[in-house]
């Protein structure tokens, strides 16, 4: 890393969205620092899909090539570490990392993702991103027509079951306890041959993250090859909130169409801002954030 501590823009998070923002800013000749702790949200996922020209590549392959390309821009620097604190200064912003260093910038971009909260079911976290899935548009094609489960209840379970029925006719909704579906929802799902099981789950039997069986607390089991779940989550980084950035009702950082947060000079992009969690979408949002941050700076300094 170059021996400077003052940058035009600091990007916190160096995965797909952060790297895309860095490339846009590097091409705009801005001094940029990308701080990354090396823990992308999709690390367990075997392959990435629905990203034109990169379909089927591993997340690691995409990230490695992306970083190599961003490193070619002389004004972009990298720092391997965890950003722990952020503050507003008279001349912009200051970011502190876990090792104690302080870096300053006129603007900030947060591409920090979210942290999924795993239900207390043995085996769930081992399968997450491999055969326990969150998005049919990312993974549904690979498990099409297979024996598939939905882990959910109430409106969320009903909505997800309806959606996943597009990819398989062998579908069961596991409510993991008493169903809170309405009578109308229950009848509609049964009409479409979607089974509903309310027995509580003990654990998930799997082979290196690939599901085999659901083991229930009553001792019975059910074969399953893939399952979908919409987990609760929390922001991976709390610095935006500490700076005053507002969150929306779902818990995502609130941004406008230009990726600007509610705090002037602070942008956010990627999974921390939307439920549309795909690599392609993260790249698009990062590119937009980088372009808008540079445009704002250029016009203000003219």
């Amino acid at each position: 890393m170059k021996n400077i501590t003052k940058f035009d823009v600091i990007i916190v998070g160096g995965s797909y969205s952060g790297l895309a923002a860095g490339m846009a800013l590097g091409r705009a000749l801005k001094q940029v620092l990308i701080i990354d702790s090396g823990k992308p949200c999709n690390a367990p996922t075997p392959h990435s899909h629905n990203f034109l020209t990169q379909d089927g590549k591993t997340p690691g392959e995409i990230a490695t090539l992306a970083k190599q390309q961003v490193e070619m821009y002389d004004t972009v620097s990298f720092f391997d570490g965890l950003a722990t604190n952020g503050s507003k200064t008279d001349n912009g912003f200051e970011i502190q990392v876990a090792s104690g260093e302080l870096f300053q910038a006129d603007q900030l971009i947060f591409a920090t993702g979210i942290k999924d909260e795993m239900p207390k079911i043995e085996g769930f976290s081992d399968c997450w991103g491999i055969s326990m899935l969150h998005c049919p548009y990312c993974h549904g094609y690979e498990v099409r027509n297979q024996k598939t489960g939905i882990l959910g209840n109430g409106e969320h379970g009903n909505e997800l079951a309806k959606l996943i029925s597009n990819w398989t006719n062998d579908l069961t909704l596991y409510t993991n306890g008493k169903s809170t579906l309405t009578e109308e929802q229950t009848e509609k799902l049964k009409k479409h041959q979607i089974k509903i099981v309310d027995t509580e789950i003990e654990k998930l039997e799997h082979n290196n993250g690939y599901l085999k069986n659901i083991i229930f607390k009553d001792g019975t089991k059910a074969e399953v090859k893939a399952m979908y779940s919409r987990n609760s989550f929390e922001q991976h980084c709390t610095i935006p909130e500490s700076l005053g950035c507002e969150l929306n009702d779902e818990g995502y950082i609130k941004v406008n169409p230009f990726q600007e947060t509610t705090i002037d000079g602070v942008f956010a992009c990627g999974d921390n801002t939307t439920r549309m969690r795909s690599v392609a979408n993260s790249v698009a949002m990062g590119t937009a954030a980088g372009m808008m941050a540079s445009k704002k700076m250029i016009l203000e300094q003219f």
Side-chain angles (χ1 to χ4, degrees), residues 6-127:
K6 178 66 169 70
F7 299 85
D8 293 321
V9 182
I10 291 175
I11 300 170
V12 183
S15 191
Y16 316 100
S17 205
L19 289 170
M23 177 175 283
L25 285 159
R27 293 182 61 80
L29 313 177
K30 299 306 175 189
Q31 291 289 341
V32 182
L33 176 64
I34 300 176
I35 300 173
D36 184 54
S37 61
K39 296 180 179 179
C41 296
N42 69 341
T45 304
H47 300 95
S48 174
H49 293 283
N50 239 347
F51 185 3
L52 202 61
T53 76
Q54 302 297 316
D55 191 48
K57 296 287 185 65
T58 67
E61 284 181 282
I62 299 172
T64 298
L65 178 58
K67 187 173 181 180
Q68 289 172 352
Q69 293 180 345
V70 176
E71 285 176 329
M72 295 178 66
Y73 293 90
D74 292 337
T75 60
V76 181
S77 301
F78 290 84
F79 183 89
D80 296 329
L82 178 67
T84 54
N85 293 289
S87 59
K88 184 80 172 71
T89 67
D90 292 338
N91 300 312
F93 300 91
E94 191 170 73
I95 294 292
Q96 183 176 29
V97 296
S99 52
E101 289 96 328
L102 290 171
F103 302 102
Q104 295 178 330
D106 296 321
Q107 297 182 22
L108 301 176
I109 296 177
F110 288 95
T112 44
I114 57 174
K115 186 187 300 182
D116 293 298
E117 297 178 332
M118 304 294 169
K120 295 179 180 179
I121 298 174
E122 183 183 338
F124 186 100
S125 60
D126 297 323
C127 298

Side-chain angles (χ1 to χ4, degrees), residues 238-253:
T238 59
I239 298 175
E241 289 177 81
S242 72
L243 292 171
C245 298
E246 294 180 23
L247 304 184
N248 64 21
D249 292 339
E250 292 184 281
Y252 296 105
I253 299 174

Side-chain angles (χ1 to χ4, degrees), residues 247-265:
L247 304 184
N248 64 21
D249 292 339
E250 292 184 281
Y252 296 105
I253 299 174
K254 189 182 294 185
V255 293
N256 66 15
F258 304 110
Q259 304 303 137
E260 295 175 300
T261 70
T262 53
I263 297 299
D264 187 45

Side-chain angles (χ1 to χ4, degrees), residues 2 5 67 92 175 207 236 249 256 271 283:
K2 302 177 183 68
T5 58
K67 187 173 181 180
T175 61
N207 184 15
H236 201 265
D249 292 339
N256 66 15
D271 292 352
V283 169

